[in-house]
């Protein structure tokens, strides 16, 4: 009887400790989100609509005033153009800016819930969120009006629903994702096929879903296809360098280094080299995350233009880091990420095609020379 009472007390204490740990994690997550949303509100109020968002608003205004849909660029992104245009037209740029960041924020939780179901330790979620929020390039790009947060939200929601066996509904969401950012089709296509392979589900059934996905998402692009007189020219290379290795590889390597962080990338590289065997074991465990990262890198290699294209790969890489890297290393990465908001350095002096880099004219680099220099942080450069 005495032993049973002791066992009961021990179990009660264990449950109380677990509840306290969960409560601490929830409080930490709540405080983190409050601070981050407050910062996003500041950026939205201070800067509002940007140059990237003006073409999206123009698309919606043209629909309202002329009853016509004209894509903002090339084959267009109908869903994000109409959604962002609607919110911008009704609520203004500042509210739309904040909505875009909220979509990005929700995406992080959905990715975590989809690909980290077995992990009971809430510290992983906290570290994952801090890693994503501390990266200045990701944060600043997600806190301005763009089609990327919209596409990322639909991608995360589609993954979540598909993993919960809500496949029909996920196909609709995936279609909205593709109509928000067309190249996301590659990640969805790879995910469905890989899911079929790993879970030994019916390949015939999943091919049916892929065909359905292709059909539904294609409907969104019919207006543009019709306007081009059924020509496939709208799907040509949408800007960027020529598909030549000598032009693609330098941009690909340099922008990955910049996206990860000029300080953090050095720490991560050294840690991976030292723990190479452990790192390979971790990426083998995270098959889905590794697949999306590889597909995203292939996509970026072929069009190494906007940093935002790398967002899925970096978000999933941060999820792997938060689960498998040493906590001291993670804290060091976070500190260097925060440091880069205010201070940075350059190792290259890049020469642009045009002297005037306003409105994106000079973003086409034509050469670079090694020249180390101290530089201002990403916050100053972004705004």
């Amino acid at each position: 009887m005495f032993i049973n009472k002791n066992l009961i007390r021990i179990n009660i204490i264990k449950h109380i400790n677990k509840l306290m740990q969960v409560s601490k994690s929830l409080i930490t997550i709540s405080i983190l989100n409050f601070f981050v949303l407050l910062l996003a509100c500041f950026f939205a109020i201070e800067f509002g609509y940007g140059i990237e968002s003006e073409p999206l608003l123009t698309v919606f205004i043209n629909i309202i005033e002329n009853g016509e849909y004209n894509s903002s660029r090339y084959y267009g992104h109908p869903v994000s153009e109409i959604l962002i245009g609607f919110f911008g037209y009704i609520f203004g740029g500042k509210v739309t800016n904040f909505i875009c960041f909220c979509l990005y924020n929700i995406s992080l939780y959905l990715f975590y819930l989809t690909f980290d179901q077995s992990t009971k330790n809430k510290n992983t979620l906290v570290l994952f969120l801090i890693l994503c929020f501390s990266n200045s390039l990701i944060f600043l790009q997600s806190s301005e009006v763009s089609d990327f947060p919209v596409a990322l939200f639909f991608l995360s929601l589609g993954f979540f629903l598909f993993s919960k066996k809500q496949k029909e509904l996920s196909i609709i969401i995936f279609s909205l994702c593709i109509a928000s950012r067309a190249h996301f089709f590659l990640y969805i296509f790879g995910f469905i096929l890989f899911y079929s392979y790993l879970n030994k589900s019916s390949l015939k059934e999943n091919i049916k879903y892929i065909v359905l996905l292709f059909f539904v998402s294609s409907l969104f692009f019919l207006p543009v296809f019709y306007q081009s007189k059924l020509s496939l020219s709208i799907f040509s290379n949408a800007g960027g360098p020529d598909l030549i290795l000598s032009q693609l590889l330098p941009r690909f390597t340099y922008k990955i280094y910049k996206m990860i962080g000029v300080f953090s990338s050095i720490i991560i590289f050294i840690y991976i080299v030292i723990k190479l065997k452990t790192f390979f074991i971790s990426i083998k465990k995270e098959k889905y995350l590794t697949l999306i990262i590889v597909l995203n890198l292939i996509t970026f290699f072929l069009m190494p233009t906007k940093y935002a294209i790398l967002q899925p790969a970096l978000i999933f890489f941060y999820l792997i880091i938060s689960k498998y890297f040493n906590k001291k290393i993670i804290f060091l990465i976070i500190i260097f990420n925060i440091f880069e908001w205010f201070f940075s350095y350059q190792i290259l002096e890049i020469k642009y095609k045009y002297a005037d880099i306003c409105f994106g004219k000079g973003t086409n680099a034509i050469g670079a020379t090694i020249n180390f220099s101290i530089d201002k942080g990403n916050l100053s450069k972004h705004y």
Side-chain angles (χ1 to χ4, degrees), residues 80-99:
S80 55
E81 287 170 340
I82 292 171
L83 276 178
I84 291 174
F86 169 78
F87 285 116
Y89 187 81
I90 302 297
F91 301 107
K94 300 181 190 301
V95 174
T96 309
N97 194 313
F98 185 70
I99 289 171

Side-chain angles (χ1 to χ4, degrees), residues 302-363:
L302 296 173
M303 50 178 190
T305 51
K306 295 181 179 179
Y307 287 108
I309 296 171
L310 276 171
Q311 278 189 10
L314 190 54
I315 288 169
F316 291 157
F317 184 52
Y318 277 156
L319 189 51
I320 292 174
I321 288 176
S322 63
K323 292 174 72 173
Y324 297 103
F325 275 37
N326 183 287
K327 282 188 179 179
K328 290 180 181 178
I329 299 297
I330 295 174
F331 289 137
L332 195 59
I333 293 168
I334 291 167
I335 290 168
F336 279 130
N337 278 352
I338 295 170
F339 191 62
E340 197 174 350
W341 280 71
F342 312 102
F343 175 82
S344 185
Y345 66 87
Q346 292 285 354
I347 58 173
L348 295 175
E349 185 178 341
I350 300 172
K351 184 180 180 183
Y352 293 100
K353 189 174 181 179
Y354 302 100
D356 179 15
I357 61 171
C358 295
F359 302 103
K361 272 188 178 181
T363 52

Side-chain angles (χ1 to χ4, degrees), residues 155-174:
L155 182 70
S156 62
L157 182 58
F159 282 162
F160 178 75
L161 291 172
F162 199 90
S163 67
K164 297 297 181 183
K165 312 297 182 184
Q166 301 292 325
K167 294 185 178 180
E168 289 79 9
L169 182 57
S170 71
I171 293 302
I172 297 173
I173 301 299
F174 280 146

Side-chain angles (χ1 to χ4, degrees), residues 81-149:
E81 287 170 340
I82 292 171
L83 276 178
I84 291 174
F86 169 78
F87 285 116
Y89 187 81
I90 302 297
F91 301 107
K94 300 181 190 301
V95 174
T96 309
N97 194 313
F98 185 70
I99 289 171
C100 283
F101 183 80
C102 287
L103 291 178
Y104 164 73
N105 197 4
I106 294 168
S107 301
L108 298 181
Y109 285 95
L110 290 172
F111 283 138
Y112 174 82
L113 292 171
T114 302
F115 298 111
D116 201 31
Q117 297 171 340
S118 61
T119 300
K120 297 178 181 178
N121 188 2
K122 293 292 184 295
N123 287 333
T124 303
L125 175 59
V126 175
L127 291 172
F128 169 61
L129 291 175
I130 296 175
L131 279 167
C132 291
F133 293 143
S134 65
N135 185 298
S136 52
L137 276 180
I138 290 183
F139 189 99
L140 293 170
Q141 287 169 356
S142 302
S143 63
E144 64 179 12
V145 179
S146 169
D147 44 23
F148 278 99

Side-chain angles (χ1 to χ4, degrees), residues 211-265:
V211 172
L212 183 62
L213 171 68
F214 181 77
F215 174 74
V216 176
S217 57
S218 296
L219 294 177
F220 291 101
F221 296 98
L222 278 180
V224 182
F225 193 45
Y226 178 76
Q227 287 170 6
S228 68
K229 298 179 181 179
L230 308 183
S231 170
L232 296 176
S233 59
I234 56 169
F235 298 106
S236 60
N237 182 21
D242 295 329
L243 298 178
I244 302 171
L245 184 63
S246 60
Q247 292 195 28
L248 295 174
L249 188 59
R251 288 173 170 85
F252 173 78
T253 308
Y254 180 73
K255 289 191 175 182
I256 288 176
Y257 150 77
K258 291 287 284 185
M259 188 69 173
I260 294 174
V262 296
F263 301 107
S264 302
S265 56

Side-chain angles (χ1 to χ4, degrees), residues 26-88:
L26 289 174
I27 290 169
T28 305
I29 292 167
S30 300
I31 293 171
L32 176 64
N33 269 296
F34 176 76
F35 173 74
V36 165
L37 291 175
L38 209 62
L39 195 58
C41 276
F42 168 75
F43 287 138
I45 293 168
E46 189 70 20
F47 304 107
Y49 242 55
I51 296 170
E52 279 287 320
S53 57
E54 290 175 3
L56 307 178
L57 180 60
T58 303
V59 171
F60 187 78
I61 292 174
N62 191 49
I63 292 173
I64 294 295
E65 294 183 352
N66 304 316
E68 294 179 358
Y69 169 76
N70 291 311
S71 61
S72 58
R73 49 193 179 270
Y74 302 100
Y75 47 81
H77 309 117
V79 170
S80 55
E81 287 170 340
I82 292 171
L83 276 178
I84 291 174
F86 169 78
F87 285 116

